[in-house]
């Protein structure tokens, strides 16, 4: 569905492979490509998913592995979202936005979550500190008591 003056970027799952919308380098590159291809006359950017899950963050099984030579980093995408000259609205109608997925939401200027949406930073349960600024952005967005 096309809405006038709104540029929508979809995080799409790879059928049979990436059903949780892990933030792989190709997925992050797709978000950057979407941010860089905003048509003239656009007044708002929407970041959403066409799948059941917005994004379950990065795949921790890849931690410690050598990054791809042309890999796109989550930090780079988060900076681009924060520095966008247009409002960026993250929309999670249902499903999960976890870890890096939540950090994507928090880097957007506005967030809309449906009643069946769930967010969190589950990496803290296994002793990992959120690496995409979630520890700073979440208290700013939700307040210290809720964060």
């Amino acid at each position: 569905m096309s809405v006038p003056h709104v540029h929508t970027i979809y995080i799409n799952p790879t059928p049979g492979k990436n059903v949780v919308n892990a933030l792989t380098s190709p997925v992050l590159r797709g978000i950057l490509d979407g941010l860089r291809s905003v048509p003239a006359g656009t007044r708002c950017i929407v970041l959403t998913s066409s799948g059941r899950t917005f994004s379950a963050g990065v795949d921790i099984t890849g931690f410690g592995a050598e990054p791809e030579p042309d890999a796109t980093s989550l930090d780079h995408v988060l900076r681009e979202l924060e520095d966008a000259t247009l409002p960026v609205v993250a929309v999670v109608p249902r499903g999960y936005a976890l870890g890096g997925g939540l950090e994507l939401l928090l880097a957007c200027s506005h967030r809309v979550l449906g009643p069946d949406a769930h967010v969190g930073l589950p990496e803290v349960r296994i002793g990992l500190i959120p690496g995409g600024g979630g520890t700073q952005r979440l208290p700013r967005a939700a307040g210290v008591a809720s964060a």
Side-chain angles (χ1 to χ4, degrees):
M1 178 175 153
S2 180
V3 178
H5 309 292
V6 176
H7 178 65
T8 303
I9 301 169
Y10 290 97
I11 303 172
N12 292 317
T14 305
K17 293 185 179 183
N18 189 6
V19 294
V20 296
N21 279 347
L23 296 176
T24 60
S25 186
V27 170
L28 293 171
R29 202 171 307 114
I31 295 170
L32 280 181
D33 290 346
L35 288 170
R36 293 175 179 160
S37 64
V38 176
T42 298
R43 296 183 186 158
C44 174
I45 300 168
V46 172
L47 178 64
T48 191
S49 170
S50 61
R52 293 186 315 238
T53 295
F54 180 79
S55 175
V58 299
D59 181 1
I60 64 169
T61 61
F63 282 13
E66 196 65 34
E68 302 168 30
D70 63 342
T72 302
S73 75
L74 177 60
D75 287 336
H76 184 96
V77 174
L78 297 175
R79 278 192 305 277
E80 293 275 335
L81 287 167
E82 279 188 325
D83 294 343
T85 56
L86 295 171
V88 181
V89 181
V91 178
V92 184
R94 68 199 158 286
Y96 295 90
L98 302 174
L102 174 55
E103 290 171 324
L104 277 177
L105 293 180
L106 295 170
C108 295
S109 54
H110 301 79
R111 292 153 292 281
V112 178
L113 287 89
D116 295 325
H118 304 277
V119 299
L121 297 169
E123 60 269 38
V124 300
R125 291 187 177 176
I126 59 170
L128 297 174
I129 297 172
T135 57
Q136 293 80 37
R137 289 185 183 102
L138 185 57
R140 286 186 214 139
V144 173
S146 295

